[in-house]
Amino acid sequence: MKTFEYWHKLHQTEALGEFNTDRSGLLWLKIKSILRRDIIKDFILFSQCRLSEAGLNEQFKELYGLLSVNLESAHRLLDDYTRKISRSQIASVNEQKLASELYKLKMFDWGGDYQNSLDKYLVSRYIKVENPSYDNLIAKFETEINPTVQGYVLNSWYNYWSSVLIENIFKSHPAVLPTIGKIKNVDFFVNDVPFDLKVTYLPVEYIKQKRKEKGLPVELTFLKAQAKAMKIVYDKDANDNDIFYEITEKMKDRGDSAWKKVLACLQKEKMSILQEAQNQPKTLAKWLYENQGEMRFGAENRLFIVLVDTGNFADSWKLKRNIDLLKPAIVSYLKSFKTRNIKDLELSFTFKGKPNPFNVLTDIIFIIK
C-alpha cells in the first residue's frame, strides 16, 4: 500500500498517470474531493469514523490511513456519501432556466486581442504608454475600454455558466461520480476514471496546421487571393477576423455563382479536416494537450467536448447552451463508456520545456450541428 505522502507528491508534481491504475491513489483523490471543513465534519458523522486530528490536512492524512485498510469498502462508503451530497448540488441547477439565461447573449466578442490576462492587456495598451494623457485616457473609456471590459465579463460569465450546465448533465448520470468540492485536475469520475472536462471548438490553429499538411494555403490567404481576382476592395489594415468577415460578406452580397464556389471550397476542405478528427480523435487530443497555454499547463486525464456548427464554424460557441444537442450526445457517450477498453484512451504527449513525456487517459465527444 502506497503512503499518503507518495500520492501527495505525485499530485503536486502532476505525475498523475498512476492514479488511473491504483485503487489507493483513486481513494486519495476521492477523499481530497470532500476536503472542506463542513463536508469532512458531515462525512465523519456519516461514516462514524473517529479522527484525533483537527486540521484539514492532518484529517486528510488520517482519513486516508483509516480508510485504506479496506479499499473496496472505503470506495463504497465514499461513493455513497458523495452521491448523497451531490444530489442536492445537481438539483440546485435548473438546466432549462440556466439555458434560457445563456441564450440572452447574442454576440460572443472578447473585446480585445489579449490572450490570458485582461489586466496585462489594459496595462500595456492604456497605462504604460509612450505619451501619457489623462484626457486621452478618459476619452477611450466609452470607445475602447468599457467595451473591452464588458466583452470580457460577458464572455467569462457565459463560459462559466455554460460549463456548469454541461457539467451538470454529466453529474446527473449514474456512471458519473461528481467531486463535491473543487479539486485540481478532476471534475468527476466516470466509472472510477478521473477526468477534467474541457469544452472547446475545432481550433483555428489546428485547422491551419492540417491545411498546411494537405498543401492548402491559409484560409485568409486563399480568400485574399480570391478577393483580388474578383476585384473586391477591403480594409487591409484591419485585423484578420475583420478582413475575413468583410471579404466573405462582400462575396455574398454579389449574388453570383463565383462567391458560392469559393466559400463551398473552403467549407468542403474544413469538413474534410473535421471528418479526419472524428475518425482519429487521438490526433486532435494530442494536439490539444501539446498546444495548451503554458500558464495553464496540465497533464491530467481530460475529457474533451468539441463543439462544431458546420453551418458556420464561428457560431460554435452557441452550442454550449443547446441542451437538445448536448444531453443526448453526453448520455450516449456515458452509456457506452463501460464497454470501452481503457487502453484505447491511453495517450502519450510531450510539451515544450518539459523534459519527460506525459501519459494520460483522454477522449473526445464531438457534438456537431
Side-chain angles (χ1 to χ4, degrees), residues 6-245:
Y6 179 85
W7 297 114
H8 178 73
K9 182 179 179 181
L10 288 187
H11 192 259
Q12 287 291 101
T13 57
E14 296 202 11
L16 305 171
E18 203 169 339
F19 284 94
N20 301 323
T21 56
D22 194 301
R23 297 288 284 172
S24 62
L26 184 63
L27 179 70
W28 190 95
L29 284 177
K30 288 181 179 179
I31 297 173
K32 187 170 178 60
S33 82
I34 63 169
L35 202 66
R36 285 196 342 223
R37 194 165 297 282
D38 56 332
I39 297 175
I40 284 288
K41 185 177 179 180
D42 187 55
F43 176 73
I44 291 170
L45 292 173
F46 177 84
S47 63
Q48 298 183 333
C49 290
R50 293 185 178 181
L51 300 181
S52 58
E53 300 293 344
L56 271 181
N57 290 333
E58 291 75 18
Q59 288 181 331
F60 184 11
K61 185 175 181 179
E62 189 176 2
L63 262 179
Y64 176 78
L66 287 171
L67 295 178
S68 59
V69 172
N70 188 331
L71 278 178
E72 295 314 309
S73 175
H75 277 290
R76 284 193 298 272
L77 179 66
L78 278 163
D79 290 0
D80 288 345
Y81 177 75
T82 299
R83 294 190 190 284
K84 179 179 85 76
I85 298 300
S86 65
R87 285 190 200 105
S88 61
Q89 293 180 340
I90 293 167
S92 68
V93 179
N94 185 326
E95 291 179 359
Q96 295 295 339
K97 185 176 185 300
L98 180 53
S100 292
E101 291 300 314
L102 293 168
Y103 269 91
K104 293 176 182 177
L105 188 70
K106 298 177 177 65
M107 183 173 65
F108 197 77
D109 183 3
W110 286 100
D113 58 357
Y114 43 84
Q115 294 295 315
N116 294 314
S117 173
L118 175 63
D119 179 62
K120 288 181 180 178
Y121 175 81
L122 293 175
V123 168
S124 63
R125 191 173 181 89
Y126 300 109
I127 298 172
K128 294 184 179 179
V129 294
E130 289 185 9
N131 300 304
S133 167
Y134 176 81
D135 290 337
N136 286 344
L137 182 61
I138 293 299
K140 288 180 179 179
F141 267 92
E142 289 304 319
T143 59
E144 295 181 29
I145 297 175
N146 279 355
T148 295
V149 175
Q150 188 178 79
Y152 181 87
V153 172
L154 283 170
N155 284 16
S156 297
W157 172 87
Y158 181 86
N159 280 344
Y160 174 78
W161 285 107
S162 59
S163 294
V164 170
L165 178 68
I166 293 169
E167 282 185 28
N168 209 63
I169 295 172
F170 276 94
K171 292 176 179 180
S172 300
H173 195 277
V176 174
L177 182 74
T179 54
I180 299 175
K182 290 291 182 183
I183 170 174
K184 185 181 179 183
N185 305 320
V186 183
D187 286 320
F188 46 71
F189 303 86
V190 182
N191 288 354
D192 272 347
V193 178
F195 279 114
D196 186 57
L197 180 66
K198 297 294 183 186
V199 183
T200 186
Y201 318 108
L202 195 64
V204 172
E205 291 301 317
Y206 178 81
I207 294 172
K208 189 182 292 185
Q209 178 180 310
K210 289 299 171 182
R211 288 183 65 86
K212 185 177 181 180
E213 290 174 5
K214 293 172 179 289
L216 299 170
V218 174
E219 282 183 298
L220 185 57
T221 303
F222 173 76
L223 263 185
K224 286 179 177 179
Q226 296 302 313
K228 184 177 180 180
M230 297 166 69
K231 294 182 171 56
I232 291 176
V233 179
Y234 59 89
D235 182 2
K236 296 180 180 179
D237 295 325
N239 64 53
D240 288 352
N241 288 337
D242 288 342
I243 292 174
F244 193 98
Y245 177 81

Side-chain angles (χ1 to χ4, degrees), residues 222-223 226 230 251 258-267:
F222 173 76
L223 263 185
Q226 296 302 313
M230 297 166 69
M251 282 184 174
W259 74 267
K260 290 182 180 179
K261 290 180 180 178
V262 171
L263 298 185
C265 176
L266 284 177
Q267 177 72 357

